[in-house]
Amino acid sequence: QACTYPCQCPSQPLQCPAGTSHVLDACGCCKVCARQLGELCSLQKPCDHHKGLYCDFSKIHRGSGICLAHEGATCDLLGKIYHNGESFQPTCKLQCICMDGAIGCIPLCSDDLRLPSPECPNPRRVKFRNKCCEEWICEEGSEENRFKTAMAVFRDDPAHKPELNNLQENCLVQTTEWSACSKSCGMGISARVTNDNPQCRLEKETRLCMVRPCDFPMEKTKKGKKCVRTPKPRQSLHFEFSGCTSTRSYRPKFCGSCTDGRCCTPYVTSTVEVEFRCPEGDFFQRKMMFIKMCSCHYDCPRDNDIFLATYHRRMIGDHV
């Protein structure tokens, strides 16, 4: 009854605390900050369903309720017990949530990197008193040291010294190879570091990756062969990420399997922008790895080795 159409939503972008979802109100009109565990809720102020929370109207009257979590396992962190759906901050740098026995965290501090530049020849991260996160400061130096340091990432051309308004033209682009996918099956993350941006600043860049679906049927190897390197699914498929689905279907190549103890990993890849649509109607784009060729080898990552210490093979990356 309180809904009015056409929808009228605030023009200002929605600002929610870290780790809080944007959800549609009961009218299906506007995004609002989802209510968290133990907070008051209503049809206009829904609970965070991404965290398994629901609005219980049995305990409070007059159209209001309280956000409760569906039954699930608790979490134990350093001897402290957290309930399913409960958000907490173990340190000032992390915002975490307990979800059915598993703990997920997002960083509250930026982990960006910074290269020397003419405007900031000696960048340094320092910890300020009464502040949780370190911040970048630019130390001043002599004019000679200023350009000597900056030339590490800028073209050393005496006729055209880098100017503050001409950073990208003088920038020497440095980009690392893409890291291995964070998951051996299903959707994961691959990362690299690059300064290919207008500020010539070293920044971390990520893309989604899928070496193979977790339920991908393994093809039989041909006679005399011990590996199936790059099988394709028989039917096109839609990618899923964080509850959202790709707007178009794809027939990507995946890495297969071997019968002699070797493992297959991506070797030649490309990066494509994939558009996703969420149940609430939102659209967003993410870079995603597409496999062109896989390599079968004995240099396999060890199980449960989160740092992949013995895994030195890298993918031949590319630019979008």
Side-chain angles (χ1 to χ4, degrees):
Q1 294 178 356
C3 298
T4 57
Y5 298 99
C7 299
Q8 291 184 341
C9 301
S11 57
Q12 296 295 325
L14 192 61
Q15 299 290 336
C16 298
T20 300
S21 302
H22 297 183
V23 295
L24 283 173
D25 59 22
C27 300
C29 277
C30 308
K31 285 295 183 75
V32 295
C33 297
R35 297 294 168 148
Q36 303 303 301
L37 186 68
E39 293 182 348
L40 294 177
C41 54
S42 66
L43 291 176
Q44 301 301 325
K45 299 174 182 177
C47 299
D48 200 335
H49 62 87
H50 296 120
K51 298 176 182 176
L53 303 181
Y54 68 98
C55 195
D56 186 350
F57 292 99
S58 65
K59 294 179 171 55
I60 299 178
H61 300 292
R62 295 183 182 177
S64 293
I66 189 167
C67 287
L68 298 179
H70 295 289
E71 285 190 27
T74 58
C75 302
D76 183 351
L77 181 64
L78 301 176
K80 190 169 182 179
I81 303 298
Y82 298 95
H83 297 289
N84 180 41
E86 183 177 357
S87 295
F88 58 96
Q89 278 189 249
T91 72
C92 64
K93 294 184 177 183
L94 288 175
Q95 176 75 39
C96 302
I97 183 173
C98 171
M99 295 190 71
D100 198 16
I103 296 176
C105 301
I106 59 171
L108 299 177
C109 296
S110 172
D111 61 350
D112 63 325
L113 304 168
R114 185 159 186 171
L115 279 172
S117 66
E119 61 177 352
C120 186
N122 299 305
R124 189 164 63 92
R125 289 191 83 156
V126 296
K127 178 78 171 66
F128 288 101
R129 190 176 178 181
N130 301 326
K131 286 191 176 182
C132 175
C133 304
E134 293 88 359
E135 295 182 10
W136 286 105
I137 64 167
C138 298
E139 292 186 341
E140 293 296 329
S142 67
E143 189 72 15
E144 182 181 351
N145 289 336
R146 175 186 174 96
F147 283 104
K148 184 177 179 182
T149 307
M151 284 305 172
V153 290
F154 286 84
R155 291 188 175 87
D156 190 1
D157 183 358
H160 299 93
K161 284 192 176 182
E163 300 293 338
L164 294 180
N165 60 353
N166 205 19
L167 291 176
Q168 196 167 26
E169 185 178 331
N170 294 292
C171 183
L172 283 175
V173 175
Q174 301 181 37
T175 303
T176 66
E177 298 291 350
W178 288 104
S179 68
C181 194
S182 62
K183 289 191 177 182
S184 58
C185 74
M187 194 69 79
I189 298 291
S190 176
R192 69 179 179 183
V193 176
T194 181
N195 65 333
D196 190 8
N197 52 66
Q199 293 76 34
C200 194
R201 284 183 56 173
L202 202 61
E203 293 177 342
K204 188 177 180 181
E205 185 180 27
T206 60
R207 65 177 179 176
L208 301 175
C209 53
M210 186 184 289
V211 178
R212 62 184 67 82
C214 292
D215 57 353
F216 192 57
M218 293 302 177
E219 294 185 9
K220 292 182 180 179
T221 56
K222 294 180 180 178
K223 190 174 181 179
K225 294 273 187 178
K226 294 184 178 180
C227 293
V228 179
R229 283 200 305 180
T230 51
K232 263 189 174 184
R234 290 186 175 89
Q235 295 179 334
S236 59
L237 55 85
H238 290 268
F239 294 115
E240 291 189 3
F241 175 63
S242 294
C244 306
T245 307
S246 62
T247 54
R248 55 162 291 193
S249 60
Y250 298 87
R251 278 197 71 205
K253 290 182 179 178
F254 295 121
C255 289
S257 60
C258 298
T259 59
D260 58 358
R262 285 184 289 174
C263 54
C264 280
T265 57
Y267 179 58
V268 180
T269 68
S270 63
T271 305
V272 177
E273 289 275 0
V274 175
E275 185 180 61
F276 290 86
R277 186 181 190 277
C278 302
E280 291 89 353
D282 282 359
F283 290 86
F284 66 88
Q285 289 187 329
R286 287 286 185 278
K287 293 176 183 175
M288 185 162 181
M289 175 189 81
F290 278 75
I291 297 170
K292 292 185 174 181
M293 185 187 300
C294 295
S295 171
C296 298
H297 50 82
Y298 290 105
D299 186 17
C300 303
R302 289 184 293 185
D303 291 340
N304 299 321
D305 184 0
I306 62 172
F307 299 106
L308 302 177
T310 62
Y311 183 48
H312 300 296
R313 286 184 175 266
R314 292 194 174 275
M315 293 179 285
I316 297 178
D318 66 333
H319 296 276
V320 179

